[in-house]
Amino acid sequence: MSGPKVAVVEEFTAAQLDALRQALPDGVTLLTDALGAGTIGQADYLVLREEGIEDDRLAALASLRGVVTIDSGGAAVSAEICESMGVWTEGVPSPGPISVAEHTVMLILALFKRLPTAHRRLMDGVIVDGMEPFVTDQLNYSYNWVGLELFEAVLGKTVGLVGVGQIGGAAARMLVAFGVDVVYYKRNRFSPEEEQEMGIRYLPFDELLAESHCVSLHNKFTPETEKMMGAREFALMPEGSFFVNTARGRLVDEDALMEALDSGHLAGAALDVFWWEPILPDSPLRTTPNLLMTPHTAGTPAGDTVALELGSAGRVVRRRNGTAA
């Protein structure tokens, strides 16, 4: 008796398909690009990310037993038709948005702690006040021997999130857990009940900029959002505040950001995304003070993401159907 057939409805890269093959149980046949290849009718299980299934095509899949949707995409199937067919459905959380949210929070923490300055001074061998090294114990130790002028906890600080989708929402939950006062701006405001449940509060865009100790962007890039953070917006932010962008580089006027950092109006900024990627060899970003940069690494690698996402799909097959039968 042949094993079950899992159909990937849309095109995946070779690395993603390899990751999926490794994640699924032994004996499973993987049908790739099943819609394009015309093999979807053989499927026992479907994996959907961006491409949904029309109701009539779904109802015609006689051997179908289960559908897995990956929540990083927009795919959906009719729950009513699946229920009438005795087909189970499972939504698999994507690690990608969570990874970007983690990276965002990491950068925010690093800025408040002045991590780039602390690391540079430590590696440069800076020791202030003539401190001499000695062996430490519980009560005796050297504190801040590199002479940081200021480093802060995020507890009680106000962090403004601009755009609260999957990533912004995940970042909000993490920041609330740190005791942060999270304010947000988005085009379609949450209901009061949703705001209370998330522990966040709404502010209009300009007010958010003016009240936040740190602003973090989570918008999509469109022609309308290009350079949404420019000289005017940075000037609205409090002196000594921070800025983070893990969304898209073209949301930010990089010249205006560098000017705000050079003047000292902003105490620091962190970028994972840029106008040019990789950044140009002679980019002035490389020498801008108090700027922490990562090379667009907030999200998980594509293969790892699919392995995590669709590995969950494999576990679903095993859990609901014995040993992948």
Side-chain angles (χ1 to χ4, degrees):
M1 180 177 177
S2 62
K5 296 180 175 62
V6 175
V8 178
V9 171
E10 59 214 88
E11 290 189 45
F12 276 37
T13 67
Q16 291 170 337
L17 291 172
D18 286 344
L20 175 54
R21 289 188 181 97
Q22 295 175 26
L24 290 174
D26 294 336
V28 171
T29 299
L30 183 62
L31 306 175
T32 62
D33 189 19
L35 274 178
T39 57
I40 191 171
Q42 305 171 29
D44 298 295
Y45 304 97
L46 299 181
V47 175
L48 311 176
R49 183 173 59 188
E50 300 292 345
E51 297 288 337
I53 300 293
E54 298 173 354
D55 291 354
D56 56 348
R57 186 188 292 270
L58 178 65
L61 300 178
S63 62
L64 190 64
R65 298 158 65 181
V67 178
V68 174
T69 57
I70 300 172
D71 74 0
S72 61
V77 294
S78 168
E80 292 78 9
I81 292 176
C82 287
E83 185 176 357
S84 70
M85 297 170 63
V87 172
W88 55 260
T89 60
E90 185 87 14
V92 178
S94 168
I98 300 299
S99 178
V100 179
E102 291 173 349
H103 200 93
T104 300
V105 174
M106 175 190 73
L107 294 178
I108 291 171
L109 293 172
L111 289 173
F112 276 97
K113 296 293 186 181
R114 274 60 173 189
L115 183 61
T117 302
H119 178 74
R120 184 179 67 252
R121 290 185 187 180
L122 188 149
M123 298 305 291
D124 288 345
V126 174
I127 300 177
V128 299
D129 298 332
M131 292 184 184
E132 293 291 339
F134 63 91
V135 177
T136 64
D137 57 32
Q138 180 63 29
L139 298 178
N140 298 287
Y141 50 85
S142 295
Y143 182 73
N144 187 24
W145 71 80
V146 299
L148 286 179
E149 293 78 10
L150 180 65
F151 48 101
E152 307 167 82
V154 297
L155 178 67
K157 297 295 192 299
T158 299
V159 173
L161 304 180
V162 181
V164 186
Q166 276 191 306
I167 295 170
R173 291 190 294 273
M174 295 176 192
L175 290 166
V176 167
F178 277 95
V180 172
D181 173 26
V182 177
V183 298
Y184 80 97
Y185 170 78
K186 66 192 297 280
R187 184 169 55 184
N188 299 311
R189 181 178 175 177
F190 292 120
S191 68
E193 293 77 18
E194 290 172 317
E195 291 177 355
Q196 183 175 10
E197 180 182 357
M198 296 175 69
I200 63 179
R201 58 190 179 93
Y202 173 85
L203 285 177
F205 182 53
D206 285 2
E207 292 183 28
L208 178 145
L209 296 177
E211 292 191 21
S212 297
H213 297 102
C214 179
V215 172
S216 180
L217 286 192
H218 300 280
N219 272 37
K220 290 184 178 180
F221 169 74
T222 67
E224 292 72 32
T225 60
E226 183 171 297
K227 292 188 177 181
M228 65 178 296
M229 288 298 299
R232 185 191 80 89
E233 288 74 25
F234 289 123
L236 288 174
M237 293 175 60
E239 187 168 352
S241 57
F242 300 107
F243 174 75
V244 173
N245 185 17
T246 56
R248 287 296 181 267
R250 287 176 63 184
L251 297 173
V252 178
D253 181 337
E254 291 179 347
D255 289 334
L257 174 61
M258 288 186 287
E259 183 177 341
L261 289 166
D262 282 326
S263 69
H265 179 71
L266 292 183
L271 304 176
D272 184 59
V273 290
F274 305 88
W275 197 278
W276 291 89
E277 294 181 1
I279 63 173
L280 300 176
D282 59 349
S283 172
L285 290 170
R286 297 176 182 272
T287 56
T288 298
N290 300 317
L291 177 59
L292 174 61
M293 298 187 289
T294 53
H296 205 144
T297 51
T300 52
D304 288 348
T305 297
V306 171
L308 286 167
E309 291 170 339
L310 299 184
S312 296
R315 287 193 291 275
V316 168
V317 173
R318 287 195 294 270
R319 184 174 72 243
R320 294 187 181 245
N321 299 280
T323 58

